[in-house]
Amino acid sequence: MSSSTLRSRTGAGGGVLPIDTLYEILIRLPVKDICRLRAVCRPWRSLLSDPQFIAAHATRHRRPLIVAGHDKSYRDDGILCDIIDLSGRVIKQIIRSTEDEWLISTQGNLACIAIGTTKSCQLLNLVTGDRFSLPEGLSQEHTPRKLDFMNYRASVALGQVASTGEFKLLRVIDNAFFSSRYQQLCEVFTLGGSGDARWRGKKAAQDRVDMSPLSRVVVDGVVYFLLDEDVIHRHVRPKGIASFDLLTEEWRSILRGPVSIPAYHSNLSLAALNGSLVLVHCMLHVSMDLWLLVDFKKSLWVKKHAVEINLSVRDEFLAHPLVILKNGSIVTYIGSRGLLRIYNPRTNTYTDVAEMGSRVGIGLYTGNLLSIANDAT
């Protein structure tokens, strides 16, 4: 930000410190202090709320935040989700607009939420609070098959195409619980696309995909799904992963999992860690292996971490990695305990930093912290 721009924001006039020096001091302060300083006077509020200042501050203060959806069955308090820092402190709370909505996933400043069921979804801007309702019902291409899909569930993934900047949603529609003719459909929606905004029918994956939330993930504009367990057993093949390219809007070849993992092992999930696809292999209540994909064409994986969990044998095992920090520590959500845990692989130790309770749709906020932080006095 130039000196002239800064003077216009602060009401140019001198002061004890030169304006450029004041700017360099302010940009180094943590978000909590910046929010308090916004209340000092109107010129300071104007400066500290300026998009150029927010962007510059974000460059210096990069740290992950967690978006944790509230589980209504666990705590019905009218909150849709919390945005939480790594100490467990709540930065912002999002209020439900209706009683039966819940968080599905996040991408940048956007959250995908379901209204009642996954047949009805909205996109929520976590900064502005704006909402966009996605069309309901099947796409035009799939209308002839509506009798087989009078009732269905959907696995919805939100991602961004790096080369175009477009946000797209992929949904896999499944009638397994509602029809004797078990089928899946695939549809794509482009946010802000030109022309008629609608779901567009696409060819389904060659094998059925797993519909559970932790069996899908978006990495660099590609949506990955674990294959359905019935497919694995029927063909007696190793665990496989289907992938859909949001740019070309086509399914890619089946990716094979690490050969050392038992073919029928069920404690598997997918994660996006620091821009890479990771297969998470949970072994009973003891540990969690993280397998990093290094070569898609060769289905080559490398086991990067073996994270000790050490839960009681009475715990229902549910652990999922969220992000790897710059120092190598791994932030994990222990769902069976409702804990946010940070594991240090160098010392083989962990710290439970927060008790978050039961959560749904837990993910990361990768937008701007100052854009969402509530002002404090």
Side-chain angles (χ1 to χ4, degrees), residues 316-362:
E316 177 185 356
F317 189 88
L318 176 59
H320 196 69
L322 300 175
V323 66
I324 299 178
L325 304 179
K326 289 182 178 180
N327 64 1
S329 295
I330 303 167
V331 181
T332 303
Y333 174 62
I334 310 295
S336 56
R337 295 280 188 88
L339 294 175
L340 184 64
R341 175 175 292 180
I342 299 180
Y343 173 78
N344 187 332
R346 296 179 181 177
T347 60
N348 197 29
T349 58
Y350 61 82
T351 303
D352 292 334
V353 295
E355 294 185 5
M356 303 197 304
S358 178
R359 298 291 183 149
V360 295
I362 192 165

Side-chain angles (χ1 to χ4, degrees), residues 295-314:
D295 191 315
F296 179 88
K297 293 182 179 179
K298 297 180 180 179
S299 293
L300 181 60
W301 302 80
V302 174
K303 187 166 78 169
K304 296 291 289 185
H305 300 282
V307 181
E308 291 192 5
I309 302 298
N310 295 326
L311 295 179
S312 165
V313 294
R314 294 186 298 273

Side-chain angles (χ1 to χ4, degrees), residues 129-246:
D130 293 338
R131 292 173 178 255
F132 174 79
S133 295
L134 297 169
E136 297 187 27
L138 300 180
S139 65
Q140 295 177 9
E141 293 82 358
H142 291 147
T143 299
R145 305 176 67 177
K146 65 181 180 180
L147 290 180
D148 292 326
F149 288 87
M150 296 296 291
N151 288 300
Y152 61 83
R153 57 177 179 165
S155 179
V156 185
L158 170 63
Q160 185 176 24
V161 180
S163 59
T164 65
E166 291 180 310
F167 284 93
K168 293 185 179 183
L169 293 106
L170 170 72
R171 70 173 179 179
V172 174
I173 298 171
D174 184 299
N175 68 353
F177 296 153
F178 312 102
S179 173
S180 59
R181 300 177 60 187
Y182 186 8
Q183 303 173 67
Q184 288 185 337
L185 303 177
C186 173
E187 299 182 346
V188 176
F189 184 91
T190 301
L191 184 63
S194 58
D196 185 23
R198 66 180 184 89
W199 289 104
R200 293 173 283 111
K202 297 294 176 179
K203 184 179 178 180
Q206 68 181 66
D207 288 319
R208 292 202 309 268
V209 302
D210 193 317
M211 300 290 286
S212 59
L214 294 183
S215 292
R216 69 170 184 270
V217 72
V218 183
V219 182
D220 195 23
V222 178
V223 186
Y224 295 90
F225 294 86
L226 290 174
L227 292 183
D228 187 278
E229 284 293 333
D230 290 341
V231 174
I232 304 302
H233 283 270
R234 188 173 67 250
H235 294 288
V236 194
R237 62 172 63 159
K239 193 72 173 180
I241 298 171
S243 59
F244 185 89
D245 191 322
L246 291 175

